[in-house]
Amino acid sequence: MNLSTSNSAVGAIFIALLGGAIKTSTPYLFVSLGETLTEKAGRVNLGLEGTLMMGAVTGFGASLFSGNPFVGVLAAGGAGLLMGALHAWLCSFRRVSSIAVGIALMIFGTGLAFYLGKPLIQPQAPHLPAIDLGFWTTNPALKEALQINVLFIAGVVLAPLLAWFLASTRWGLILRLCGENVEAARAKGIQPERVRLLATAAGGFLAGIGGSFLSLYYPGTWTEGLSTGQGLLAVALVIFSRWNPLLCLVTSLLFGALGSLGAALQAAGLSQGFYLFGTVPALMALGLMILTSGKKRGVSGRPAELSVHT
Amino acid sequence: MVTAAALLKRNVSKTGIGAQLGAILAAVVLFAVFLVLQGKSPWGVLADMGIGAFGSSFAWQNTLVRAAPLLLTALCTLIPAQLGLVIIGNEGAWLLGGLATSVLGASLPPSWGIGGLLLSLAAAAVAGGFWIGLAGAGRQWRGVDPTISSLLLYYVAWGVFLFLVEGPLRDPQSLNEPSTFPLPKEFLMSSLPGTSVHAGLLVGIAACLLAWFVFFRTRLGFDARIVGENERLGATLGLRRSLLVVGACAVGGACAGLAGGIQIAAINHASNASLNAGVGFSGILVAFLARQRPLAVLLVALLVGGLQASGGFVQRDHNLPDATISVFQGLLFLSVLWAEAFRRDPSGGNK
């Protein structure tokens, strides 16, 4: 292999990773932003993998029947909102474990999505549009990589908005207080359960939208193998993003790129080990969890009321 | 002398079986509402589910075949739960266990007979135990949440499994469905006399009884439960938490791995993608439905096994998709957790 072809191969991989980061980071981004909101209120919702699948199937169905993909996105958000509210409602009972409810919702959401999705496997629903930011280049791979989907743009706008909301608004302060010190919140006349209900429902709404991306943009159909664990990975991603929405954006892009490593290498002519490359995001998440956790140090930014060992 | 019945009774009353039955009833009602919403007659479907699960000797055998692996995969969640760890990566241990049995079983000389089978199954237990042991080690030494890490490990296991089965370990003769080489017939597990139920059922029952005995009748199990209830008290008493935590995860993983190995030796004969059928995930449901009690697993596995056995029946006779059973299982899981709110005894709960 001479220098110029190896350069072009590296360039092709780089462009494919850039495109992959933009194309596949959206579900990570929406789910992790939603989970950040929920966890900042002091509640963990482990069930977002189920919410993601419910969002994917309702988004696809609603887009198919209405003919408008944005109706699909809203319906997906609505389904996620209901799942989140169900989680919060069950957790509002004493002695009901939020971790266990999350596991149950993961199983329930996936099962219900498979049930609802049976008649949706064949048809093709209207897709979400993309914005062409590659108009300036003649490189077809780069042109393709710079097709930016509208949900990604929405997510990029949402991340700083959410950071601002949490840091600088009254509601953000109330929400964080419920995550840091329930007793103090109660003393101030705040009802933590109600705040957590709203935060979990809103988090579910965002996670549902993340699901609609899978069925309405990329891969863009409904299949039972649609999610390869993005919902769970995004929950892990919140931990090493230190509950910071802006870091969620960075890590989501990183995981989008890692997730498309197999496809990128395949495009460059390396077809061996496709399934192994598929495990890279999960391995990376495990690695980052091992690095950023630590029994003694604790994790900065972690809401004090969270009941998960991190 | 304490009879088995008295022991069972004491254990059952401690678990608050009333709340549990109420939860199952609530799930049935919710499922009936779901069926009505789908335009189906709930009576017809529920009655046929009962018949499909327990209505004939064929149905019973089908139920027992499905319950057998659940007994073991449930222990993958149940055993670490005694130490306060929530493990949900059972399916990963199951897959690697099945693969380990396939690999070793297909390479040992068939003349080794039962010894070869036992070695292949031991490999399954080691593989599963190592895998879930990793989640325990991560929790113990790095404070990594074992619930999330064990499920992440499942995604890793699934990728590795597919890579090996469709790549280096593929039997070139498996054309339609890439598979490993099948086990020699000398290593296959036989059925119990007069039935189609394989001997793995007895292994599962024995494992649950042993788990009960260890946790509720030995010093080691008592120590483990102390560590699970109160970490600080355990430390004060000088209990070696790290050994107990990692050990419990490894033993739990070994159970799920063994279940995968038995599935290969008794039913599938070779590893392929169809091994990833959710038996590990159903094990989580069984463990929670049994409220992490080993003896209750015996009953609950029968119930969930029956539910799954009735799936084909419901699909055929009522034109409902097979995911209908998954919906019911999800409702069951949610109802059982909801029931915790109505429980009176202060000792239980998984909080």
Side-chain angles (χ1 to χ4, degrees), chain B residues 24 28 52 68 86 90 115 122 126 134 148 158 175 177 229 236 246 252 274 287 292 297 315 321 328 336 343:
Chain B
I24 291 170
V28 171
V86 183
N90 317 21
V126 169
L134 288 178
I148 295 175
W158 178 225
L175 298 173
E177 190 168 31
E229 287 288 326
T236 313
V246 180
S274 72
Q292 319 292 357
V297 166
Q315 201 176 351
F328 192 16
V336 161
R343 202 171 282 284

Side-chain angles (χ1 to χ4, degrees), chain A residues 102-283:
Chain A
I103 297 166
L105 280 175
M106 207 183 303
I107 289 176
F108 174 70
T110 310
L112 187 59
F114 286 3
Y115 179 91
L116 296 172
K118 284 292 166 186
L120 300 177
I121 291 179
Q122 286 299 331
Q124 190 55 56
H127 271 196
L128 284 165
I131 291 165
D132 181 15
L133 290 186
F135 55 85
W136 50 271
T137 170
T138 52
N139 180 334
L142 194 57
K143 221 175 172 56
E144 159 74 21
L146 290 175
Q147 295 287 317
I148 315 283
N149 71 84
V150 287
L151 275 186
F152 177 73
I153 295 170
V156 170
V157 173
L158 186 63
L161 272 180
L162 192 63
W164 168 78
F165 167 83
L166 287 171
S168 312
T169 67
R170 194 179 126 74
W171 283 25
L173 182 69
I174 290 174
L175 188 137
R176 282 188 294 128
L177 186 59
C178 293
E180 293 298 338
N181 192 331
V182 176
E183 293 311 317
R186 285 214 181 88
K188 282 192 161 296
I190 298 165
Q191 288 174 292
E193 286 309 320
R194 187 166 295 177
V195 173
R196 286 175 180 169
L197 172 75
L198 292 173
T200 314
F205 181 82
L206 293 179
I209 288 180
S212 73
F213 174 87
L214 292 174
S215 57
L216 294 178
Y217 189 81
Y218 184 79
T221 53
W222 165 254
T223 62
E224 295 188 352
L226 201 55
S227 165
T228 47
Q230 288 99 324
L232 175 83
L233 277 163
V235 173
L237 199 146
V238 171
I239 299 168
F240 39 77
S241 299
R242 307 210 179 286
W243 294 266
N244 177 342
L246 293 172
L247 280 180
C248 285
L249 176 57
V250 176
T251 43
S252 294
L253 282 167
L254 174 71
F255 274 76
L258 288 174
S260 44
L261 196 60
L265 291 176
Q266 213 167 30
L270 198 116
S271 60
Q272 284 292 306
F274 182 75
Y275 291 117
L276 283 186
F277 288 114
T279 66
V280 168
L283 281 172

Side-chain angles (χ1 to χ4, degrees), chain A residues 256-307:
Chain A
L258 288 174
S260 44
L261 196 60
L265 291 176
Q266 213 167 30
L270 198 116
S271 60
Q272 284 292 306
F274 182 75
Y275 291 117
L276 283 186
F277 288 114
T279 66
V280 168
L283 281 172
M284 184 73 174
L286 283 164
L288 284 173
M289 278 170 78
I290 291 169
L291 283 178
T292 58
S293 302
K295 244 167 89 179
K296 306 232 160 49
R297 286 174 291 133
V299 181
S300 65
R302 177 181 188 277
E305 295 280 344
L306 278 191
S307 61

Side-chain angles (χ1 to χ4, degrees), chain A residues 46 93 95-96 100-101 103-104 106 115 118 229 233 275-276 279 289-291 293-295 297 308-310, chain B residues 34 38 88 140 142-145 147 151-152 155 159 163 166 320-324 333 337-338 340-341 345 351:
Chain A
L46 270 187
F93 294 102
R95 299 153 56 81
V96 176
V101 173
I103 297 166
M106 207 183 303
Y115 179 91
K118 284 292 166 186
L233 277 163
Y275 291 117
L276 283 186
T279 66
M289 278 170 78
I290 291 169
L291 283 178
S293 302
K295 244 167 89 179
R297 286 174 291 133
V308 75
H309 308 291
T310 44
Chain B
F34 174 78
Q38 299 298 309
I88 56 176
Q140 186 56 34
R142 294 297 306 174
V144 174
D145 178 61
T147 314
L151 193 52
L152 285 173
Y155 289 111
F163 168 72
E166 302 197 4
L320 282 162
D322 50 356
T324 312
F333 205 150
L337 297 177
W338 186 30
E340 293 292 323
D345 67 321
K351 198 146 189 169

Side-chain angles (χ1 to χ4, degrees), chain A residues 50-133:
Chain A
T51 310
L52 191 79
M53 291 304 273
M54 279 299 289
V57 78
T58 44
F60 190 82
S63 172
L64 183 68
F65 292 123
S66 70
N68 184 340
F70 292 99
V71 173
V73 172
L74 270 185
L81 187 123
L82 288 178
M83 295 275 288
L86 178 59
H87 184 281
W89 177 70
L90 283 169
C91 292
S92 69
F93 294 102
R94 239 162 35 90
R95 299 153 56 81
V96 176
S97 151
S98 61
I99 299 300
V101 173
I103 297 166
L105 280 175
M106 207 183 303
I107 289 176
F108 174 70
T110 310
L112 187 59
F114 286 3
Y115 179 91
L116 296 172
K118 284 292 166 186
L120 300 177
I121 291 179
Q122 286 299 331
Q124 190 55 56
H127 271 196
L128 284 165
I131 291 165
D132 181 15
L133 290 186

